[in-house]
Amino acid sequence: MGDGGVSRAGEGPELVVVLDGGTELSREELGGKAWSINRMRALGLPVPPAIVATTVNCRTFREAGGRIPDDLWQAITARMSALEQGTGRRFGSPDRPLLVSVRSGAARSMPGMMDTVLDLGINAEIEAGLAAETGDPAYAADTRRRFVEAYRDVVLGTTGGDVPAAPWDQLRGAVEAVFASWDSPRARAYRRSRGVSDDGGTAVTIQAMVFGNLGDRSGTGVVFSRDPRTGENRPFGEWLPGGQGEDVVSGRLDPQPLESLREQLPAVYAELTAVASRIERDAGDIQDIEFTVEGGRLWLLQSRTAKRSPRAAVRAAVAMVDEGILDPGSALRRVTAEQARALLAPSLDRSRLTGVDPVATGHPVCEGVATGTVVVDPDEAERRAEAGEDVVLARATTSPDDMHGLVAARAVITEHGGSTSHAAVVSRELGRVCVVGCGSGTVTALAGNRVTVDGASGEIWPGAAALIRVSKTTTRI
Amino acid sequence: MSSSLGVQEGASTARLDQLVDRGLCKRGGTGLRLTSEGRAHLSVLLAREAAAVDRQAATALYDRFCELNQDLKQVITDWQLRDGHAPNDHSDPAYDAAVLARLTAAYERAGSLLAELGTLRPRLQHYSSRLALAHARVLEGDHSFVATIGKDSFHTLWFELHEDLIGLTGASRVDEAIAGRAT
């Protein structure tokens, strides 16, 4: 496919590049998203075909007064054939239509730019063609509705604007919006705050959409290269037969465990798990991969570093050293101080609380467990804490004048307010166990009592509750 | 403290010494704090001020503050937490930058409110310049100016301004909290 070469033989820099794994342009020239698509293609991974208008075009766009120069537009229209050949679909055609996503992408990810328009290239006629092909008119109509909303929202910036009917006009509008968003106030403020130059520019990536709702052998899902809850080295994820990418996130349909993909499409499952390990090895970290299967063919949509539990972080880091993926130094950096602290922090021994009711319950806003005597006055809290006593400060609500009491207390409990309240913000800054919003008259009535505050569950227990402490010896988990 | 209040270094020290001599403040730990006499005296002063202030204007300003407050507290919370519960370990520059861009947007929306504080009570003028300074520090990359306790961070100042505005409207913080506004 595509030669990844120059768009105009022998003249000037490449304006539009096919991302087939062959280009050697830098991240600065391709932008981060296109660079990673190209990288995945170079690894031989099945990624939907894509092209990119490089960052250099952002400057010529600006110099041309905010319009796409003719030679750039010609290069884009010519290179779209790479997407058509890669998918066997045609952009602008009602018969097997090609829809595309259009995304920004600077060398470094940056908030404030136009992000993504999906499903671009659809109008009434193409919607009818898609309905006939999928046998699902509701899906086709929903796709068009979602596109129109997104185009109005991110390209036109109004809820009632006119969306062009011609697919090529849609494409031109979206590309212009991406380039223009480089100069949005938010993007500029971000660059100013990070000391990033305004010269770099964004690239525009245009990628073929793939369809997870085309018949029985199609669907969409998410796979983690290791179990993000436990760190166990086995693929973990969800599979949604007949679903489109957004359905997994939206919860519109109930996903099945990944094992059902193994039963339904064993070859796809084998390819998917092999690909997940491959990307993990290349990235040196647990991956969270979105994929779509269209007519029995696997496509990877996105791969990123996976969020994980503290336990999984430690277990995976140790295992990756044993497997030769990481050296011990890199593995250590994979476990954050927060994760280590969470694993070692004492937690409530719930087996000892059966038959006991909490004396108050509120919103948990800062984790940890602390026991102390309830004091309602900040001055008294400070005095008793200085005398060596563990105190829990209870207030109807906190004011800036209570700060010394918050500093002195082991835990803070309030009757009003939610997880964004001033008391919550202050407690998190101080690392104080904190439960807020327990209700009028609840916690101040506890004055003088000894209580245990669980900042993870939001429960306040009578007396000094038993704790489980993790041994800090070298037991392997 | 002098720079916060916009007065000469020597002037603030002399004034604070007087307050300590009168038993209204005491020195302790790293700083200065009100004694219970001091707190009683301050509440008299604030009550007199609240009685003299244009109550309607104060309430109007406070209503505008509350609209901004919801958003600003969410931004600060998102700075501290990811997904609403996990502590933000600040290892993701793109996430942090997105939150700080929202902080800047919230600060810019507060511009006209901050500019009008001085017309309500001249003593409130300092919030505008101190918040500008905190915001500038954050933009320069000193993130301790987002919410750190014990310095003129964005949240510290915002919290204090909130308290001042509640006082000027004559409302109590607890009543406001029950109404879902003062927390």
Side-chain angles (χ1 to χ4, degrees):
Chain A
M1 159 180 332
D3 54 15
V6 291
S7 51
R8 294 171 302 168
E11 296 172 32
E14 302 169 73
L15 300 182
V16 178
V17 175
V18 177
L19 299 169
D20 57 4
T23 180
E24 295 188 348
L25 291 183
S26 66
R27 186 182 273 268
E28 278 65 34
E29 291 160 304
L30 294 174
K33 287 189 188 116
W35 187 88
S36 75
I37 291 173
N38 188 63
R39 173 80 190 142
M40 290 204 280
R41 291 293 293 262
L43 288 169
L45 302 172
V47 177
I51 59 175
V52 63
T54 56
T55 54
V56 67
N57 294 292
C58 198
R59 286 189 286 281
T60 50
F61 174 84
R62 206 186 322 178
E63 285 157 15
R67 57 175 295 279
I68 300 177
D70 292 343
D71 56 347
L72 171 58
W73 184 245
Q74 282 161 17
I76 289 174
T77 52
R79 292 282 161 179
M80 284 289 282
S81 63
L83 273 55
E84 296 178 335
Q85 286 157 17
T87 56
R89 297 177 162 273
R90 275 186 74 82
F91 188 70
S93 158
D95 179 31
R96 286 183 62 73
L98 169 68
L99 304 189
V100 298
S101 65
V102 177
R103 299 169 197 263
S104 65
R108 307 202 310 186
S109 83
M110 181 179 304
M113 289 201 299
M114 193 201 98
D115 190 24
T116 306
V117 183
L118 299 176
D119 298 315
L120 183 142
I122 194 168
N123 54 27
E125 201 189 350
I126 292 170
E127 177 193 325
L130 197 60
E133 183 188 352
T134 58
D136 188 349
Y139 160 74
D142 192 44
T143 301
R144 179 155 159 242
R145 182 189 56 76
R146 282 199 269 210
F147 162 70
V148 167
E149 274 175 18
Y151 196 92
R152 282 184 176 143
D153 183 29
V154 304
V155 176
L156 302 177
T158 72
T159 49
D162 280 335
V163 177
W168 290 103
D169 291 344
Q170 295 170 1
L171 184 62
R172 180 186 277 271
V175 171
E176 282 177 351
V178 170
F179 280 137
S181 71
W182 173 259
D183 284 316
S184 78
R186 262 186 73 197
R188 280 211 303 268
Y190 171 82
R191 292 197 292 272
R192 213 168 48 236
S193 72
R194 312 293 293 191
V196 176
S197 153
D198 284 333
D199 299 335
T202 179
V204 184
T205 302
I206 305 170
Q207 188 170 31
M209 301 286 302
V210 288
F211 298 93
N213 57 338
L214 275 179
D216 295 342
R217 293 164 55 75
S218 300
T220 191
V222 174
V223 63
F224 289 82
S225 57
R226 286 170 206 246
D227 192 323
R229 303 163 304 175
T230 62
E232 193 184 344
N233 188 3
R234 64 177 188 98
F236 168 85
E238 290 180 335
W239 163 242
L240 191 55
Q244 273 284 90
E246 289 163 55
D247 295 330
V248 176
V249 184
S250 70
R252 192 165 72 91
L253 299 167
D254 285 332
Q256 303 171 1
L258 196 65
E259 286 63 40
S260 53
L261 174 64
R262 173 156 49 184
E263 291 154 24
Q264 293 156 21
L265 298 167
V268 170
Y269 179 84
E271 185 186 0
L272 179 67
T273 52
V275 154
S277 321
R278 178 127 197 235
I279 307 178
E280 181 189 272
R281 188 164 276 272
D282 185 61
D285 207 346
I286 310 178
Q287 295 296 297
D288 167 350
I289 300 163
E290 288 174 29
F291 67 94
T292 284
V293 180
E294 181 184 306
R297 187 166 175 190
L298 175 67
W299 295 106
L300 304 186
L301 303 184
Q302 177 160 212
S303 181
R304 59 193 158 199
T305 302
K307 299 232 174 75
R308 67 206 67 179
S309 71
R311 177 170 293 271
V314 174
R315 183 170 177 174
V318 172
M320 284 186 185
V321 172
D322 292 346
E323 293 163 27
I325 295 175
L326 290 180
D327 61 82
S330 310
L332 262 182
R333 285 192 293 276
R334 283 294 144 70
V335 180
T336 66
E338 277 311 327
Q339 288 166 334
R341 215 170 292 144
L343 271 183
L344 294 173
S347 57
L348 269 187
D349 184 352
R350 296 201 161 259
S351 67
R352 307 272 290 276
L353 287 171
T354 44
V356 181
D357 288 325
V359 289
T361 305
H363 306 293
V365 296
C366 190
E367 284 192 23
V369 180
T371 298
T373 304
V374 177
V375 173
V376 295
D377 177 67
D379 289 345
E380 184 187 347
E382 185 182 49
R383 208 165 46 242
R384 289 170 67 168
E386 276 170 5
E389 195 176 348
D390 287 337
V391 301
V392 170
L393 180 67
R395 300 287 283 166
T397 178
T398 59
S399 90
D401 298 332
D402 301 344
M403 209 59 74
H404 57 298
L406 270 73
V407 171
R410 295 285 312 274
V412 178
I413 52 184
T414 75
E415 297 180 349
H416 307 289
S419 66
T420 64
S421 63
H422 291 305
V425 169
V426 169
S427 298
R428 285 190 291 257
E429 284 300 313
L430 294 169
R432 285 298 168 279
V433 175
C434 183
V435 175
V436 299
C438 296
S440 284
T442 51
V443 298
T444 46
L446 298 171
N449 292 308
R450 203 164 159 73
V451 297
T452 299
V453 182
D454 184 350
S457 71
E459 291 160 317
I460 296 152
W461 300 92
L467 300 183
I468 302 171
R469 291 179 197 281
V470 176
S471 151
K472 296 190 186 178
T473 55
T474 55
T475 314
R476 247 175 112 155
I477 51 176
Chain B
M1 187 177 273
S2 308
S3 61
S4 291
L5 298 176
V7 297
Q8 299 261 312
E9 183 78 40
S12 67
T13 312
R15 184 91 180 85
L16 291 171
D17 286 344
Q18 282 176 12
L19 294 175
V20 173
D21 290 345
R22 288 171 60 193
L24 299 176
C25 285
K26 65 179 178 202
R27 298 191 191 276
T30 56
L32 207 68
R33 120 154 20 109
L34 289 172
T35 59
S36 49
E37 295 78 15
R39 193 165 298 126
H41 181 56
L42 176 65
S43 49
V44 170
L45 293 179
L46 288 174
R48 276 195 203 145
E49 182 187 39
V53 81
D54 176 348
R55 180 64 57 90
Q56 236 176 349
T59 304
L61 268 186
Y62 179 57
D63 286 344
R64 282 165 62 197
F65 177 91
C66 286
E67 275 175 33
L68 299 165
N69 188 39
Q70 290 302 333
D71 190 31
L72 189 103
K73 288 189 311 181
Q74 191 61 53
V75 172
I76 304 276
T77 300
D78 292 344
W79 175 254
Q80 295 178 318
L81 298 179
R82 294 195 63 156
D83 306 325
H85 58 89
N88 178 9
D89 64 7
H90 302 293
S91 62
D92 180 349
Y95 177 85
D96 281 1
V99 176
L100 295 182
R102 287 167 51 212
L103 181 70
T104 292
Y107 172 63
E108 284 166 1
R109 276 197 298 281
S112 63
L113 171 77
L114 295 174
E116 290 167 44
L117 287 173
T119 62
L120 188 65
R121 294 293 299 167
R123 74 167 180 87
L124 300 180
Q125 256 164 5
H126 66 91
Y127 282 113
S128 177
S129 53
R130 289 162 78 195
L131 280 163
L133 195 63
H135 180 248
R137 292 274 182 273
V138 172
L139 284 188
E140 285 162 14
D142 186 345
H143 296 157
S144 68
F145 277 89
V146 177
T148 301
I149 311 302
K151 72 195 303 178
D152 267 7
S153 68
F154 209 94
H155 181 263
T156 300
L157 294 167
W158 192 257
F159 191 15
E160 289 176 2
L161 172 58
H162 194 169
E163 185 74 3
D164 260 330
L165 288 177
I166 290 174
L168 287 170
T169 60
S172 87
R173 179 169 275 273
V174 173
D175 291 341
E176 287 299 292
I178 291 168
R181 309 214 302 175
T183 57

